[in-house]
Amino acid sequence: MRAGKLDKKVVIKQKAVTRDSFGQETINWTTFATVWGEVKDLSGKEYVAATAVKNPVTTEIRIRYCSGVLPAMRAEVGSVIYNIEAVLGQDRVSLHLMCKRQD
């Protein structure tokens, strides 16, 4: 894997659910790992739903292998949040995170 293409700082976060004093669940996202990666938009489409324009984008984030990354996590690149849908490439060299960009 060429390091030159890994030019974006990717923060992988995991969900942490806690309960407040009233018993309500509070969801916080804690940092699991900060790595360098390559971000590529693979597809996108635009449609109208409930009088709002939606623009779902499928994105691949390629990073060096990092043990423990799961589809229940999310990746943040700058101010953009990506929900991880699948983790591919369990070859212990690189991971391909298939994501949907959060609106």
Side-chain angles (χ1 to χ4, degrees):
M1 176 181 305
R2 298 185 63 173
K5 292 187 176 188
L6 306 178
D7 60 350
K8 303 282 190 256
K9 189 175 191 178
V10 179
V11 180
I12 299 171
K13 294 196 171 188
Q14 62 186 359
K15 187 187 296 189
V17 179
T18 57
R19 294 197 179 269
D20 63 14
S21 60
F22 299 108
Q24 297 283 342
E25 287 187 352
T26 303
I27 297 174
N28 294 312
W29 290 91
T30 59
T31 300
F32 175 78
T34 301
V35 296
W36 291 97
E38 176 184 11
V39 180
K40 287 196 292 189
D41 289 334
L42 300 178
S43 69
K45 60 184 174 181
E46 188 172 308
Y47 64 93
V48 177
T51 67
V53 176
K54 303 287 184 179
N55 186 14
V57 177
T58 302
T59 302
E60 175 187 23
I61 300 174
R62 192 169 62 100
I63 62 172
R64 284 195 164 87
Y65 181 80
C66 180
S67 178
V69 178
L70 302 171
M73 296 178 175
R74 73 182 190 185
E76 295 180 6
V77 180
S79 62
V80 182
I81 298 171
Y82 299 92
N83 294 320
I84 300 174
E85 302 283 324
V87 180
L88 307 174
Q90 303 289 340
D91 60 358
R92 297 198 179 270
V93 174
S94 65
L95 290 178
H96 297 259
L97 309 178
M98 305 308 294
C99 306
K100 294 277 186 189
R101 186 166 58 198
Q102 200 175 67
D103 291 332

